[in-house]
Amino acid sequence: AVRLLRRPKSNTIVLSGLSGSGKTILFYQLRDGSSHQGTVTSMEPNEGTFILHSEAGKERKVKPVHIVDVPGHPRLLPKLDEFLPEAAGIVFVVDALEFLPNLRGVSEYLYDILTKASVVKKKVPVLICCNKTEKVTAHTKDFICKQLEKEIDKLRTSRSAVSDADVANDHTLGTPGKTFSFSQCTNKVSVGEASGLTSKIADVEQFIRDNVKP
Amino acid sequence: MLEQLLIFTRGGLILWTCKELGNALKGSPIDTLIRFCLLEERSGSNSYNYDAPGAAYTLKWTFNNELGLVFVAVYQRILRLLYVDEMLSMVKREFCEIYDPKRVDYNDFDETFRQLRKEAEARTEELKKSKQVGRPANDSKKQGHVKKGGADGGNKKKSEATGGSDDDDNRAGYNKLENGHSNGHHVASDGSRKLAVGNGKENDSVNVGAFDVSKLQKLKNKGGKKNDTVVSDSKGSKLDTKKKATKKNRVWDDSPSQSKLDFTDPVETGSENIDVVAANQGESMMDKEEVVSSDSEDEEDEVGKGSAPDSKKKGWFSSMFQSIAGKANIEKSDLEPALRALKDRLMTKNVAEEIAEKLCESVAASLEGKKLASFTRISSTVQAAMEDALVRILTPKRSIDILRDVHAAKEQRKPYVVVFVGVNGVGKSTNLAKVAYWLLQHNVSVMMAACDTFRSGAVEQLRTHARRLQIPIFEKGYEKDPAMVAKEAIQEATRNGSDVVLVDTAGRMQDNEPLMRALSKLVNLNNPDLVLFVGEALVGNDAVDQLSKFNQVRFYAICISWSCAFHGLHLWSTGDVVGCGQSYTDLKKLNVKTIVKTLLK
């Protein structure tokens, strides 16, 4: 009887990340296998429930996935809160090309996501997806991972300092005292690569398949 | 010629671009438009100017809120194309017929677009030709030629304008265009009479403003009698537009052009009027010459009233039925009462009028044409949209993490400099002390700099605070140059290793030019990391003016000081610190949701 009352496991995957990181392109790659005529800055989320394009032809029964692409524009940050509670997995898209200039913004956004109550409580897995890897000067995922860990370490101290005035972040991250690393998070954080424009999205699809069980 | 015309969804996918207009756009005008205009709740305004190295574009747009589509046209600013609004609405109409949410490529639209473009261009050609006839009349103000050709052109334009689907938008569009254009032309026509295009266009724009042929004829006759035909004609329609735009333009008499130095967004107040500035310049020049043709103004009124029955009269029963069934399309006339009520509510909460107006326009633009969900009334839909818009505006564009910045500056072995500015008596010194206390609590070493060398007691005040907080203070007494004092203070801080320098400045009124100049000298000389504008919550509509003038100096965040109760909050802030009260601990962070709730209560 208890099992019946429990809500069915969600099939929602949230695509998040800074504006310009390539979420909308990824969305359409997952859905249609092509990036069509290109995109502009999204003003509203893109939502869809569909079978991944790459799995469309397969015989075995595949469960449709509900994918939400939340705009990265800072003004639209509250939209993220609408979708995070029901997420079974979060894909955090990072622009591997313009990584260092945006390092602070990226790490702050990631920090915000990792410390949200719904994410911590439900231990929602996060995939840090380094996008635009087809470009020659794009950074590697290991480099990005290390840089993010360093920045989040700094953020931990400064953010927790404001917490008594007004709690902006619901939880603190990692173990205090030790330098932060993604392995300290209670939810699983993994790193992957992708190239939206050239349809190399295997890491993302694997992540989705792993977390949306049929 | 159009540079480009795009159709994309609100979610960001480009559905169609014109392949014939192959020129790649320089810079990223579309993205900038979205980031700085549409997402800033300025979608109610008419056009947006974008400058990139090597190009100066103007962008115009229209929405289809029902389907969630955006149509944007980009063209070179110097061209001043007049058919853009019309073309956008025609493109919108045609495209929405073939739109299907599942489809992603619309190559067949190329053909339709080609035809539409030909039509639009042909029409402008005709207009230009007819203008050529009336052109000699404009050249010399002494001749009082009858502008017959002009009148015909006016006729045609009128029928087209009414033919377009978005009547109001078009008219408003032409009015605004005209404002901008007339300004340029006043300069041009004096200078070079050779610019046939220029003069022709002035005529064009003048006639566009006139909606009634009879009124044109009236002006024609007047023109025959008076000597300055051109002036009075453009004056007539100028007054119309002035009348229409009066509400927005009243305050901004001398607002200078917005420099690109400001990175904050409270400039929704300051630069909200980037496109209206052009209108301003035209107007103020007009103001100097007092040729008032009140007749034409009255005519305009009558015409306006005559064409008002576009608002359909709905019976009570049918409106109830529709609210339940939820099939009605929202139209502008439906939105008006609800928006007006909301606007009044905002103004009673001390929101400046222009801002409330702009917000309402933007909300209207985003709701027009949408279908009402079932069981919802219009007022609740409007309320929800307004809440959405307010949350969007108040969500800060950049997060200001001062402690992070302090640490970053520390690594570079430089002190983090914060300058407090504001008008007299708003609480700069008090808030400075509060911020110092907060920083001290977080193990940051602070130093104060007393650069208010004007007000008696300012230095002593800071000295007292410094003594209580036990932090060093740098002072040079009174009657010294604040910029130099600040510079020396920063050097001292570098020497003794303070992490943060808090600089107090003298209060000054925003329209006191020499003082504002002194302030900008201080800011430019010392290049602070953060300039905090301290504003008083009770200041009312003046806040808009204060902000815009202080904005030119450059600031990044706002600290609002509340000298008493909770309900006076201004819609200009993006900063996230609120100081309320006199004691050190009275510093609170801004919670966006609370504010929005308070505003709309």
Side-chain angles (χ1 to χ4, degrees), chain B residues 87-102:
Chain B
M87 187 139 117
L88 274 177
S89 51
M90 288 198 298
V91 167
K92 176 162 83 172
R93 212 178 24 218
E94 297 294 324
F95 190 81
C96 294
E97 284 169 23
I98 64 171
Y99 175 68
D100 173 10
K102 304 257 176 8

Side-chain angles (χ1 to χ4, degrees), chain B residues 382-581:
Chain B
V382 172
Q383 175 110 349
M386 179 65 94
E387 257 182 56
D388 219 18
L390 279 175
V391 169
R392 236 199 322 245
I393 298 189
L394 287 177
T395 309
K397 251 207 305 211
R398 315 165 357 138
S399 73
I400 297 170
D401 199 342
I402 297 194
L403 288 175
R404 259 302 273 296
D405 291 333
V406 169
H407 284 297
K410 210 170 167 174
E411 279 167 29
Q412 297 179 356
R413 300 189 192 287
K414 286 192 315 171
Y416 186 80
V417 182
V418 184
V419 179
F420 287 76
V421 305
V423 300
N424 313 72
V426 293
K428 290 182 291 301
S429 311
T430 315
N431 277 304
L432 189 150
K434 286 190 225 166
V435 172
Y437 180 71
W438 177 73
L439 284 172
L440 281 177
Q441 290 209 304
H442 295 296
N443 302 326
V444 175
S445 60
V446 184
M447 186 170 105
M448 290 188 186
C451 296
D452 183 351
T453 54
F454 177 72
R455 197 194 81 203
S456 356
V459 179
E460 275 80 9
Q461 183 183 17
L462 273 192
R463 221 183 279 156
T464 318
H465 280 302
R467 202 177 38 224
R468 286 187 67 179
L469 295 168
Q470 306 212 316
I471 54 179
I473 171 169
F474 185 87
E475 43 155 329
K476 284 277 179 194
Y478 296 97
E479 300 281 320
K480 300 289 187 305
D481 179 17
M484 294 313 296
V485 177
K487 190 164 178 171
E488 290 168 25
I490 297 175
Q491 285 168 351
E492 175 74 25
T494 337
R495 258 196 305 255
N496 69 19
S498 296
D499 299 326
V500 181
V501 181
L502 298 176
V503 179
D504 188 23
T505 61
R508 61 203 73 210
M509 291 305 290
Q510 69 274 14
D511 41 15
N512 189 328
E513 267 238 38
L515 289 184
M516 293 305 289
R517 237 177 288 138
L519 184 60
S520 50
K521 174 179 162 207
L522 191 150
V523 170
N524 288 329
L525 190 64
N526 296 301
N527 220 3
D529 299 288
L530 187 64
V531 179
L532 279 181
F533 174 82
V534 184
E536 204 191 25
L538 296 178
V539 65
N541 288 332
D542 194 37
V544 170
D545 193 37
Q546 279 184 20
L547 265 170
S548 79
K549 301 263 170 57
F550 274 93
N551 196 11
Q552 290 154 42
V553 175
R554 178 185 73 161
F555 65 86
Y556 288 127
I558 306 188
C559 166
I560 310 176
S561 99
W562 291 21
S563 35
C564 46
F566 220 83
H567 43 255
L569 185 65
H570 295 275
L571 195 72
W572 82 67
S573 74
T574 60
D576 33 14
V577 188
V578 173
C580 33

Side-chain angles (χ1 to χ4, degrees), chain B residues 140-424:
Chain B
S140 62
K141 292 186 180 177
K142 289 182 187 159
Q143 299 171 26
H145 275 258
V146 173
K147 288 196 300 222
K148 189 153 184 248
D152 290 340
N155 236 339
K156 282 205 193 113
K157 261 294 184 202
K158 182 209 169 191
S159 49
E160 281 143 31
T162 45
S165 47
D166 300 23
D167 277 1
D168 295 348
D169 286 353
N170 272 342
R171 277 191 214 137
Y174 284 129
N175 284 340
K176 277 235 163 106
L177 261 176
E178 171 196 21
N179 265 338
H181 296 178
S182 308
N183 173 35
H185 292 300
H186 265 277
V187 180
S189 52
D190 289 343
S192 55
R193 298 291 156 94
K194 293 170 202 163
L195 278 178
V197 178
N199 276 334
K201 281 237 166 90
E202 173 177 324
N203 231 345
D204 202 8
S205 49
V206 162
N207 288 322
V208 165
F211 306 118
D212 194 7
V213 183
S214 58
K215 179 167 81 157
L216 265 179
Q217 285 174 342
K218 233 192 169 188
L219 286 175
K220 238 177 359 181
N221 296 336
K222 266 205 222 151
K225 292 173 199 163
K226 284 188 191 163
N227 273 343
D228 25 3
T229 314
V230 181
V231 179
S232 73
D233 275 350
S234 36
K235 193 33 103 95
S237 35
K238 214 3 146 226
L239 274 174
D240 303 338
T241 57
K242 180 181 177 180
K243 188 162 181 267
K244 272 204 175 149
T246 302
K247 247 189 172 176
K248 296 170 213 149
N249 293 344
R250 200 177 288 149
V251 186
W252 303 95
D253 282 332
D254 312 331
S255 70
S257 58
Q258 300 293 326
S259 73
K260 289 246 166 114
L261 278 183
D262 69 273
F263 299 107
T264 43
D265 17 24
V267 207
E268 76 203 48
T269 68
S271 63
E272 87 182 64
N273 288 322
I274 275 186
D275 33 42
V276 188
V277 168
N280 258 329
Q281 290 164 356
E283 229 180 288
S284 50
M285 284 178 75
M286 282 303 193
D287 283 341
K288 291 177 198 149
E289 316 160 29
E290 289 291 321
V291 182
V292 181
S293 41
S294 48
D295 297 348
S296 42
E297 208 174 327
D298 290 341
E299 290 265 326
E300 160 59 7
D301 276 346
E302 288 166 31
V303 172
K305 279 177 204 149
S307 62
D310 53 75
S311 55
K312 302 179 196 141
K313 290 237 168 85
K314 291 191 183 142
W316 174 87
F317 185 68
S318 59
S319 67
M320 274 296 289
F321 180 70
Q322 273 176 339
S323 82
I324 295 179
K327 288 212 191 96
N329 265 5
I330 303 187
E331 292 177 25
K332 224 174 188 152
S333 46
D334 303 329
L335 290 172
E336 260 166 50
L339 278 179
R340 224 177 302 141
L342 265 180
K343 184 174 159 214
D344 287 335
R345 210 183 309 168
L346 283 177
M347 297 213 304
T348 54
K349 299 281 173 153
N350 258 329
V351 176
E353 193 201 343
E354 301 104 24
I355 301 176
E357 179 81 34
K358 278 272 164 187
L359 252 190
C360 289
E361 262 177 36
S362 161
V363 171
S366 73
L367 281 181
E368 225 179 304
K370 261 208 169 129
K371 280 212 164 65
L372 270 179
S374 46
F375 285 107
T376 50
R377 293 179 6 254
I378 289 196
S379 52
S380 41
T381 323
V382 172
Q383 175 110 349
M386 179 65 94
E387 257 182 56
D388 219 18
L390 279 175
V391 169
R392 236 199 322 245
I393 298 189
L394 287 177
T395 309
K397 251 207 305 211
R398 315 165 357 138
S399 73
I400 297 170
D401 199 342
I402 297 194
L403 288 175
R404 259 302 273 296
D405 291 333
V406 169
H407 284 297
K410 210 170 167 174
E411 279 167 29
Q412 297 179 356
R413 300 189 192 287
K414 286 192 315 171
Y416 186 80
V417 182
V418 184
V419 179
F420 287 76
V421 305
V423 300
N424 313 72

Side-chain angles (χ1 to χ4, degrees), chain A residues 19 24 28 31 36-44 46 73-76 78-79 104 108 151 154-155 158-159 161-162 166, chain B residues 8 10-15 30-31 34-35 38-40 70 104 265 391-393 395 397 399 401 403-405 438 442 589:
Chain A
S19 193
T24 308
Y28 282 102
R31 191 184 88 162
H36 304 297
Q37 297 182 54
T39 56
V40 294
T41 310
S42 307
M43 292 195 276
E44 276 178 5
N46 285 307
H73 195 272
R75 293 279 200 214
L76 298 167
K79 292 270 184 208
R104 258 189 78 170
E108 278 172 10
E151 280 296 315
K154 283 191 231 165
L155 266 177
S158 62
R159 282 302 175 91
V162 232
D166 193 306
Chain B
F8 53 90
R10 286 185 78 96
L13 184 72
I14 297 180
L15 291 175
I30 313 282
D31 268 349
I34 298 179
R35 267 174 234 262
L38 303 182
L39 278 175
E40 298 284 331
V70 187
V104 278
D265 17 24
V391 169
R392 236 199 322 245
I393 298 189
T395 309
K397 251 207 305 211
S399 73
D401 199 342
L403 288 175
R404 259 302 273 296
D405 291 333
W438 177 73
H442 295 296
K589 260 199 154 214

